[in-house]
Every structure is written in C-alpha cells, then in structure tokens.
Amino acid sequence: MEKYFVKTIENAKDINVSVPGSKSITNRALVLAALSKDECTLEGVSFCDDCQAMIDCLIELGFEITLDDENCIVTVKGEGGKIPNPNATINVKSAGTVARFLSAMLAVCGGDYTLNSSEQMKKRPMKEFLDSLVELGVEINYLENEGHFPFEIHSNGLKDFDIEINTDTSTQYASAMLLTQSISGANITLTGNRTDGSYIKMTKKMIEDFSSNYMIEPDVSCACYFYAMALVLGTKAKVQGVHLDSLQGDIKFIKLLEEMGADVFDEEDGVLVDCSFITSFEGLDVDMHDFSDQALTFAVVAAFAKTPSVIRNVGHIRNQESNRMMVIKSELEKIGAQVEIKDDDIYITPGKLHGADIETYDDHRVAMSFALAGLKINDVIIQNPRCCEKTFANYFVIFDRITA
C-alpha cells in the first residue's frame, strides 16, 4: 500500500494556497441544475471523486452535461423534474451526498433504477431514509443487505406529500428532500437536534439563491487543514477566496483557532489566520455537532495544546466514511495522546508525542488531519494517502510544497 512520509518543519514560512471548490455546494448545485427548467452554468466546480460520481450518475440518467475541467465549469441542461433515462443503473461510489440526494431525486421524479456503490458506502446507514420513502409508496428492493446499498428504486413519482425527517443520523436526508421540494411540493417536517444545522442552512440558502449562472465557493473543509497548520506551526495561513460569510458550516473552525489565540482577518483575496506570535496554546471544550467534519482536524490540533480538550456532541461521526470517534482514539493514542470516549463526547489529554504509522481507514479526513501531526513530530507516516482524492486530489502535492 502506498505511504506518505510527512516532513517536519523547523522554521515555517507563511502559507498561501488555493483549494478546490466546495464538494457540498457542488453536489447540491448539480442536483438543482438538473431539476431546473434552464441550462445552468456552474463555476468554481470541484472535480473531486465525490463530485465526479455525481456528474457520472447524472450522465447515466441521461442529463446533457458539458465539462470544462481546466476552468472548473460545468453546464447542465435542466429537465424540469423529468429523468431523461428513467431505467438507469448508477453507481454513487463512496459519496454520501450522491447516495442520499439521488435516492430522493429518483423517488420523487419516478422511474425504475438500480443504485450501486463502493464497499465503503455499503456500510453507511440508509434504512431510516429509505423506509420513509417506502411509506410514501416507493418500492425499494435490496440486492444484498437490508437498509444498505445496493438496491432498486421503483417509483411512480411523488407529489404533494407529508414527510418527517429525523436530522440526528444525517442531515443529508433532510437536504435531499429539500433539494427536490420544488418538484415534489412536499410538506417537510424536520425533527432531531440538527433541524437548523449548517448543512441544512446551506441547502435552504442555495435553493433561495440558485440561478442559471451559479458560482461555487472554495471548499472551507479543505481550507481548514491549512488554517490548522498555522496554529500548529506558529505561522500565517491564507486560503484564496475563503471569506467569513461563507455558506459552509466549517467556517466555525476558524472561530476555534481565534479562541486559541489566532488573529483572523477577512481580506479581499481570502481569510488570513495569523498565529505567528503564538508559541503555545490552551485546549478547548467545544460543541462540534454542527461542524463535525472538522472534529478530526481539531483532535490533532488538541494533541499539541498545553491543556486537555473536549469535543462534544459528535456521536453521529461514528457512521461516516469511518467510525471517526474510534479513529480519533486509536490514532491519537498511537502518537502519544490520551483519549477517552464518553457517549457522544471525546476527551483528549496531550502527552509526549512521537511518530507512528497512521491507518487512514480509506477516510480522506483521517489522512489530511493526521498529516498535520507530522509537521511537528518526526516519523509520522500516512497509509493510503490517495484516499484524499475523494475530496482533495492534490492535497499532498500542496503539502509537499509547504514542507519543501
């Protein structure tokens, strides 16, 4: 298996980088474009694995799509709620957004479909959402294990229905139904503790603002690794095009860095995080339920703090690309921190840190987060770094440039 040997940095230079377009915004925009009545031009598109999976599925479904990879532009001919190929077989790969958004879209629009996925996606929960579609009259035939990919969808289309969606397991179910609401006319009731979560807010704002020419923001989730580097290394980091008024919930991570002592400036070309004057920092007790994609990033940063940290209300990350609560414990303990899990909270006590082989569990966020540790401690090795292609194909290329 391929490995990445992280180089430590003694005297860090200022970091100034660009990141891909937002995966979350790209995949929502692609669905909105396909369901629209117009030809839509999307700029700033991410072509990461998850977004390419969405594009490939839409093409299999018969949508007319033009790609300009070099300029990050995609043109989609909307069909106003019709699926051009209503008997398609698609593969959502490992993309949770594709899995949930297209399941809803195909059920609402109607047709007969076979949905396949990667082995990783087969382990992720779908039953709760699919059961709610069955209650509305959609036929779901499981081809392997009940409640999981692969499965068939047979639907005559859904119109003017009532549906209640629990946001505790995944907010993607809620976003999936909201994205199709203009076609379905559904009355959607959200329950659980994330009814007003950042990804749901993003979805609603995009629906409100969407037009046939739509600009996609840089991916704040990707940007956060470089902002975290600033604190770990005691330097400055700027990511081009990122601003504090972002639609993306992970922008809250920058606030954590501010609480740890960073100065933050929203400049014309992007947010600058200045940690050049910081030689040590305290841990934090933080509720991350609404920006939990950065739980791994914060966990690694917390290992370098002077005092313990607590990450609260992130139990749902057990059901993501990996069991991220378990991963935080196992991999942080490998490098010398102490970690305890109590219910949905993670307690991290810094220790004497040392190098280790980091198992990434085919989870892009594990690879990107734990690479940060190797900037300060020797002999950190990242197993299977190519898993980053899911969202950020050239992450380690940029990493090499920073550590050169």
Side-chain angles (χ1 to χ4, degrees), residues 25 47 79 84 146 165 259 266 279 354 358 383 398 401:
I25 295 178
F47 286 101
E79 297 290 346
E146 185 175 348
I165 301 171
E259 289 180 36
D266 195 344
T279 54
H354 52 77
I358 301 299
Q383 303 281 356
I398 297 174
R401 195 174 78 227

Side-chain angles (χ1 to χ4, degrees), residues 41-270:
T41 300
L42 311 179
E43 298 183 50
V45 169
S46 169
F47 286 101
C48 69
D49 283 358
D50 278 15
C51 296
Q52 192 62 57
M54 179 68 85
I55 291 167
D56 291 345
C57 286
L58 291 176
I59 289 171
E60 288 293 330
L61 291 166
F63 288 95
E64 190 177 313
I65 295 181
T66 305
L67 307 179
D68 180 352
D69 298 47
E70 187 175 342
N71 295 303
C72 300
I73 296 173
V74 172
T75 303
V76 181
K77 184 176 180 294
E79 297 290 346
K82 296 178 181 176
I83 307 296
N85 178 10
N87 301 99
T89 296
I90 61 173
N91 191 323
V92 305
K93 305 285 180 66
S94 295
T97 50
V98 184
R100 279 69 181 255
F101 296 175
L102 291 188
S103 294
M105 177 175 151
L106 299 180
V108 165
C109 295
D112 300 285
Y113 309 97
T114 301
L115 285 75
N116 295 311
S117 76
S118 68
E119 290 301 314
Q120 184 191 64
M121 189 65 216
K122 289 179 183 180
K123 299 172 185 175
R124 297 179 69 178
M126 288 290 295
K127 189 176 190 303
E128 183 179 341
F129 182 52
L130 295 176
D131 282 352
S132 67
L133 296 179
V134 170
E135 288 176 11
L136 295 170
V138 177
E139 183 183 340
I140 304 290
N141 295 332
Y142 295 106
L143 302 178
E144 291 181 16
N145 297 316
E146 185 175 348
H148 296 270
F149 279 90
F151 54 84
E152 296 174 348
I153 290 178
H154 302 285
S155 174
N156 294 321
L158 300 175
K159 200 78 174 170
D160 300 327
F161 56 89
D162 295 330
I163 186 169
E164 186 175 289
I165 301 171
N166 189 323
T167 60
D168 289 340
T169 306
S170 173
T171 60
Q172 288 176 355
Y173 303 151
S175 287
M177 296 311 299
L178 289 167
L179 289 168
T180 60
Q181 193 174 26
S182 64
I183 302 299
S184 69
N187 178 35
I188 301 168
T189 302
L190 304 183
T191 62
N193 63 17
R194 292 191 288 167
T195 58
D196 200 31
S198 57
Y199 283 108
I200 294 173
K201 287 179 181 175
M202 173 196 289
T203 302
K204 289 179 176 178
K205 181 64 173 167
M206 285 187 65
I207 292 168
E208 182 183 325
D209 294 346
F210 193 76
S211 65
S212 57
N213 289 283
Y214 191 83
M215 175 63 74
I216 291 160
E217 299 177 0
D219 196 308
V220 172
S221 300
C222 294
C224 286
Y225 302 110
F226 301 103
Y227 291 134
M229 281 182 200
L231 184 61
V232 170
L233 293 172
T235 188
K236 300 177 182 178
K238 177 180 283 187
V239 182
Q240 294 294 313
V242 170
H243 293 287
L244 294 178
D245 63 355
S246 169
L247 291 174
Q248 301 165 69
D250 280 6
I251 202 74
K252 294 177 182 177
F253 181 78
I254 295 174
K255 182 67 176 175
L256 297 188
L257 299 178
E258 208 168 22
E259 289 180 36
M260 290 170 140
D263 284 342
V264 175
F265 306 93
D266 195 344
E267 300 182 343
E268 186 176 350
D269 58 344

Side-chain angles (χ1 to χ4, degrees), residues 268-282:
E268 186 176 350
D269 58 344
V271 168
L272 171 70
V273 173
D274 184 358
C275 302
S276 59
F277 53 91
I278 296 176
T279 54
S280 64
F281 55 90
E282 305 284 333

